[in-house]
């Protein structure tokens, strides 16, 4: 929900609201709710949402993708610090995803910057501005090589 005068919205806010990658996460066909996967005593949180897997056919029943079995997830890294301080926040599939133990390699796309960041091993760390978030889509890469259905966009 957004509560603002759309005639006076900033270009930065407009770009976020109209970002096709962010809209795709919001409108994901699997329809699973996201959750806070880590909230420590530090001023940071890691949020995750399971998305429709790359191998999933939209005609399939949602039961064909049991919870935690998808190869595609949305990840939000939140810095709740209100002073002028960036924070390095780490996403670790083994800690933050159900069945994440097999996630040794994964591809990361920065959804807000609309940039492919590449392949990471075991975890991914981003520097997040104060009182801000960073949003990513991560794709598991099979042990045998790259995911055949993974396409990159710039």
């Amino acid at each position: 929900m957004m509560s603002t005068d759309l005639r006076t919205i900033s270009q930065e806010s407009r770009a976020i609201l109209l970002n096709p990658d962010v809209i795709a996460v919001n409108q994901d066909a699997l329809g699973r709710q996201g959750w806070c996967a880590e909230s420590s005593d530090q001023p940071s949180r890691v949020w995750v949402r399971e998305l429709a897997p790359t191998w999933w056919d939209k005609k399939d029943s949602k039961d064909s993708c049991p919870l935690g079995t998808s190869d595609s997830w949305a990840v939000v890294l939140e810095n709740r610090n209100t002073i002028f301080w960036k924070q390095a926040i780490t996403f670790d599939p083994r800690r933050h995803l159900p069945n994440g133990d097999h996630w040794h390699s994964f591809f990361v796309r920065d959804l807000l910057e609309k940039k492919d960041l590449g392949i990471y091993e075991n975890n991914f760390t981003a520097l997040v501005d104060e009182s801000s978030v960073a949003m990513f889509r991560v794709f598991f890469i099979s042990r045998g090589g790259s995911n055949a259905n993974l396409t990159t966009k710039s």
Side-chain angles (χ1 to χ4, degrees):
M1 182 183 314
M2 171 128 187
S3 176
T4 189
D5 183 345
L6 295 176
R7 296 169 295 178
T8 60
I9 192 171
S10 72
Q11 288 297 356
E12 181 181 36
S13 294
R14 179 182 301 279
I16 292 170
L17 290 172
L18 298 176
N19 182 317
D21 289 334
V22 173
I23 292 170
V25 168
N26 178 267
Q27 301 297 313
D28 184 72
L30 193 57
R32 298 243 164 96
Q33 181 174 341
W35 67 87
C36 185
E38 182 176 312
S39 181
S40 65
D41 57 353
Q42 298 295 318
S44 65
R45 289 192 272 203
V46 176
W47 297 83
V48 296
R49 181 180 185 202
E50 188 171 21
L51 302 175
T54 57
W55 47 263
W56 196 61
D57 186 335
K58 289 181 184 177
K59 297 177 214 158
D60 290 342
S61 158
K62 291 180 183 173
D63 295 334
S64 69
C65 181
L67 182 65
T69 62
S70 179
D71 62 351
S72 180
W73 290 75
V75 175
V76 173
L77 305 178
E78 177 188 11
N79 182 356
R80 297 181 292 164
N81 197 331
T82 58
I83 61 173
F84 301 112
W85 181 56
K86 290 184 178 188
Q87 185 173 5
I89 305 173
T90 298
F91 164 70
D92 183 340
R94 294 163 297 180
R95 287 192 348 245
H96 300 131
L97 300 182
N99 301 319
D101 290 344
H102 67 280
W103 279 59
H104 301 291
S105 298
F106 53 95
F107 181 86
V108 178
R109 177 167 176 78
D110 185 324
L111 300 184
L112 298 178
E113 296 296 325
K114 301 179 185 176
K115 292 181 183 174
D116 293 334
L117 301 181
I119 297 171
Y120 288 81
E121 300 287 327
N122 299 318
N123 61 54
F124 167 76
T125 300
L127 199 57
V128 182
D129 288 329
E130 70 281 347
S131 297
S132 190
V133 299
M135 185 174 187
F136 306 94
R137 187 164 184 160
V138 296
F139 300 90
F140 171 70
I141 298 176
S142 67
R143 289 187 185 104
S146 65
N147 185 329
N149 294 322
L150 180 62
T151 57
T152 59
K153 298 183 262 181
S154 297

